[in-house]
Amino acid sequence: MSKKPLILVTNDDGINAPGIRTLIHVMNTIGEVVVVAPNSPQSGMGHAITLDSTLYVEKIIIDEGPQTEYSCSGTPADCVKLAIREKLTRKPDLCVSGINHGSNSSINVIYSGTMSAAIEAGIEGIPAIGFSLLDYAWSANFEHTKAFLKTIAENVLKNGLPQGIVLNVNIPNLAKNEIKGIKICRQARANWVEEFDKRKTPQGKDYYWLTGKFVNLDGGEDTDEWALEHGYVSVVPTQFDLTAHHYLKNLNDWNLND
Amino acid sequence: MSKKPLILVTNDDGINAPGIRTLIHVMNTIGEVVVVAPNSPQSGMGHAITLDSTLYVEKIIIDEGPQTEYSCSGTPADCVKLAIREKLTRKPDLCVSGINHGSNSSINVIYSGTMSAAIEAGIEGIPAIGFSLLDYAWSANFEHTKAFLKTIAENVLKNGLPQGIVLNVNIPNLAKNEIKGIKICRQARANWVEEFDKRKTPQGKDYYWLTGKFVNLDGGEDTDEWALEHGYVSVVPTQFDLTAHHYLKNLNDWNLND
């Protein structure tokens, strides 16, 4: 009998979040699961790493499952680094991050702690997937995501992913029978139009809360936003070579050394 | 006489860092400068944004220059968002971030607060550049960077940049006459091999410091690492559409809906 695949699970909402508990539950049906996840929510952390403070990692038991779990004081990227260097005895066959409570589609990938963990694993040459559900609520219903998590994770284990590519998977907040299927997509050109909510402290000093609304500027029908709006699970192959290769020649034409 | 270009300046080492003071000094010779920068160092923050705490912005005077300056409690990305929505009366013609004390070449772009500010401006449709010097010291000598900052900033103002692309500029830590020129490059395939320095608290609890060494896995002579090692200033056109477009077809062949 072949050895079960080793699966590293992490997230950015914290090790107690219902999203990661669902993900662990499904991964237990596929392989041997080790969890190294933040001990508190880290949303909006982007690809932060902890350079100037200490990191703690503690073995904990949260439920009755067969997985091994560690709670970490760092960011999602820290968790992946620590898992690989300090906690795992061999290189994992897969790293899955999530399920994020809320969308990481289109430009959200840039701000996403969930995806930063997947990218960190990708940098280490580990096939990796970030999963997100389009529901920000802590009490979100993850039941309908299970079949998709399993299908996509099993396919990544079977097919592998090339060096430099991880998957960004977003799942609509719909009943299972309303989801039309899985769609391979490109990242939509979209952004947030921030509105700062300006207030005064009781002492009279101005301060701000960051708020905003999401604007999809992309009319394409091959984007993650289109897929999600039309009832599909979106899968975007995501790379961390950020070079705009198509623009190298134009920049050379600037003749910056003249 | 044409209006002077409006230049937004920010960084991730904090508004008092010698790197940003040099950048402000040079930008004052090109345009009207507004600075909105973190009130304390934010290195390693990646593309973090502040969602769950309050933001403060204060007008301050640091030196005798003509620039207007604001110190902000948030991350580099927060600074750019706040500048655009709350502090600037018109859209800036250019956003420059840095000069970072230390490299943001190759994979470092992923962890870089300096580049996250430039990318945030790029998302807003503002031509943007992140500048970094390959010297981590607070007392780094920035004198030789000045001519390069001016040349590259003036060229971006003259030529513009297409939507979706910002520049990642790294400058070797060499005497001016040892620098061979400016080279347009792609991001090298490189990574950090972390080594966690494991210690015990006085109370006997394990903790870690993140350390590591940088490994360039890329033999190409068209990369930023090659350029920097050979005495060139590297300029990488950097995009925030992370889609691995070339891999869309392969993923479709997985037939995830079967």
Side-chain angles (χ1 to χ4, degrees), chain A:
Chain A
M1 209 182 82
S2 70
K3 210 171 176 181
K4 274 177 144 185
L6 178 60
I7 304 176
L8 172 63
V9 181
T10 190
N11 78 340
D12 77 341
D13 290 317
I15 199 162
N16 290 299
I20 195 172
R21 305 321 300 173
T22 303
L23 186 54
I24 294 165
H25 183 82
V26 174
M27 292 304 123
N28 278 333
T29 68
I30 305 178
E32 179 193 345
V33 172
V34 177
V35 181
V36 182
N39 59 15
S40 62
Q42 301 277 325
S43 292
M45 282 305 282
H47 207 117
I49 49 173
T50 301
L51 294 173
D52 54 2
S53 65
T54 53
L55 289 168
Y56 293 90
V57 194
E58 279 183 284
K59 194 162 183 173
I60 55 166
I61 294 174
I62 295 182
D63 65 28
E64 297 290 303
Q67 73 278 359
T68 306
E69 299 199 50
Y70 299 90
S71 160
C72 172
S73 64
T75 66
D78 292 331
C79 289
V80 172
K81 287 175 184 289
L82 263 165
I84 294 169
R85 304 282 177 236
E86 295 289 329
K87 295 300 168 193
L88 298 174
T89 52
R90 59 184 171 100
K91 185 174 171 178
D93 301 290
L94 176 67
C95 173
V96 290
S97 177
I99 307 167
N100 192 59
H101 293 237
S103 175
N104 280 314
S105 61
S106 69
I107 196 65
N108 298 301
V109 69
I110 293 278
Y111 308 103
S112 166
T114 304
M115 283 304 297
S116 82
I119 288 173
E120 193 62 46
I123 292 171
E124 294 287 335
I126 300 161
I129 316 166
F131 291 105
S132 305
L133 173 66
L134 272 64
D135 186 343
Y136 289 90
W138 191 261
S139 61
N141 181 3
F142 290 94
E143 199 53 37
H144 70 291
T145 67
K146 290 181 176 175
F148 297 110
L149 306 181
K150 194 167 157 73
T151 298
I152 295 168
E154 285 179 339
N155 268 274
V156 168
L157 282 167
K158 188 178 81 184
N159 299 303
L161 282 171
Q163 174 64 36
I165 294 179
V166 301
L167 299 186
N168 182 15
V169 176
N170 282 271
I171 302 172
N173 186 22
L174 294 172
K176 192 171 178 179
N177 60 9
E178 291 177 304
I179 295 186
K180 292 182 190 150
I182 299 169
K183 210 165 155 36
I184 310 302
C185 307
R186 65 174 174 85
Q187 176 185 324
R189 192 167 60 79
N191 65 5
W192 284 89
V193 179
E194 284 80 20
E195 285 157 19
F196 285 92
D197 185 348
K198 187 173 177 179
R199 301 185 182 185
K200 275 194 195 298
T201 67
Q203 291 74 32
K205 188 174 170 185
D206 288 334
Y207 69 96
Y208 298 88
W209 288 104
L210 174 56
T211 69
K213 62 172 189 288
F214 181 76
V215 182
N216 182 7
L217 306 162
D218 196 324
E221 301 194 352
D222 55 347
T223 71
D224 51 1
E225 288 306 320
W226 189 95
L228 292 161
E229 280 162 24
H230 289 79
Y232 293 92
V233 172
S234 67
V235 178
V236 177
T238 298
Q239 61 191 356
F240 39 89
D241 172 2
L242 307 192
T243 313
H245 290 274
H246 62 284
Y247 202 66
L248 290 167
K249 194 194 162 304
N250 306 58
L251 277 185
N252 270 312
D253 291 344
W254 288 13
N255 296 317
L256 288 168
N257 293 308
D258 287 354

Side-chain angles (χ1 to χ4, degrees), chain B residues 63-76:
Chain B
D63 65 28
E64 297 289 304
Q67 73 277 0
T68 305
E69 298 199 51
Y70 300 90
S71 159
C72 172
S73 63
T75 66

Side-chain angles (χ1 to χ4, degrees), chain B residues 2-16:
Chain B
S2 70
K3 210 170 175 182
K4 275 178 144 185
L6 179 60
I7 304 176
L8 173 63
V9 182
T10 189
N11 78 341
D12 77 339
D13 290 317
I15 198 161
N16 289 299

Side-chain angles (χ1 to χ4, degrees), chain B residues 188-224:
Chain B
R189 193 167 58 81
N191 66 4
W192 284 89
V193 178
E194 283 81 21
E195 285 158 19
F196 286 91
D197 185 349
K198 188 173 175 177
R199 302 185 182 187
K200 275 194 196 297
T201 66
Q203 292 74 33
K205 188 175 170 184
D206 289 333
Y207 70 97
Y208 299 87
W209 289 104
L210 175 56
T211 68
K213 63 172 189 290
F214 182 76
V215 182
N216 182 8
L217 307 162
D218 197 324
E221 300 194 352
D222 55 347
T223 71
D224 50 1

Side-chain angles (χ1 to χ4, degrees), chain B:
Chain B
M1 209 180 86
S2 70
K3 210 170 175 182
K4 275 178 144 185
L6 179 60
I7 304 176
L8 173 63
V9 182
T10 189
N11 78 341
D12 77 339
D13 290 317
I15 198 161
N16 289 299
I20 195 173
R21 305 319 301 171
T22 303
L23 186 55
I24 294 164
H25 183 81
V26 174
M27 292 305 124
N28 278 333
T29 68
I30 305 178
E32 178 193 344
V33 173
V34 177
V35 182
V36 182
N39 59 16
S40 62
Q42 301 278 324
S43 291
M45 282 305 282
H47 206 117
I49 49 173
T50 302
L51 294 172
D52 53 3
S53 64
T54 53
L55 289 167
Y56 292 89
V57 193
E58 278 183 285
K59 194 163 183 172
I60 56 166
I61 294 174
I62 294 181
D63 65 28
E64 297 289 304
Q67 73 277 0
T68 305
E69 298 199 51
Y70 300 90
S71 159
C72 172
S73 63
T75 66
D78 292 329
C79 288
V80 171
K81 286 175 185 287
L82 262 165
I84 294 169
R85 303 282 177 236
E86 295 288 331
K87 294 299 168 195
L88 299 173
T89 52
R90 59 185 171 100
K91 186 175 171 175
D93 301 292
L94 176 67
C95 173
V96 290
S97 177
I99 307 167
N100 192 59
H101 292 238
S103 174
N104 280 313
S105 61
S106 70
I107 197 65
N108 297 302
V109 68
I110 293 277
Y111 308 103
S112 166
T114 303
M115 283 305 295
S116 83
I119 288 173
E120 193 62 44
I123 292 170
E124 293 288 335
I126 299 161
I129 316 166
F131 291 105
S132 305
L133 173 67
L134 271 64
D135 186 345
Y136 289 90
W138 191 261
S139 61
N141 180 3
F142 289 94
E143 199 53 38
H144 70 292
T145 68
K146 290 181 176 174
F148 298 110
L149 305 181
K150 195 167 156 74
T151 297
I152 295 168
E154 284 178 340
N155 268 275
V156 168
L157 282 166
K158 187 178 82 182
N159 298 303
L161 284 171
Q163 174 66 35
I165 295 178
V166 301
L167 300 187
N168 182 15
V169 176
N170 282 270
I171 302 171
N173 186 22
L174 295 172
K176 191 170 179 179
N177 59 9
E178 291 177 304
I179 295 187
K180 293 184 190 147
I182 300 170
K183 209 164 156 33
I184 310 301
C185 307
R186 64 175 173 86
Q187 176 186 324
R189 193 167 58 81
N191 66 4
W192 284 89
V193 178
E194 283 81 21
E195 285 158 19
F196 286 91
D197 185 349
K198 188 173 175 177
R199 302 185 182 187
K200 275 194 196 297
T201 66
Q203 292 74 33
K205 188 175 170 184
D206 289 333
Y207 70 97
Y208 299 87
W209 289 104
L210 175 56
T211 68
K213 63 172 189 290
F214 182 76
V215 182
N216 182 8
L217 307 162
D218 197 324
E221 300 194 352
D222 55 347
T223 71
D224 50 1
E225 289 306 320
W226 189 94
L228 292 161
E229 280 161 25
H230 289 80
Y232 293 91
V233 172
S234 68
V235 178
V236 177
T238 298
Q239 62 191 355
F240 39 89
D241 173 3
L242 307 191
T243 313
H245 289 275
H246 62 284
Y247 202 66
L248 290 167
K249 194 193 162 306
N250 306 57
L251 277 185
N252 270 312
D253 291 344
W254 288 13
N255 296 314
L256 289 168
N257 293 307
D258 288 355

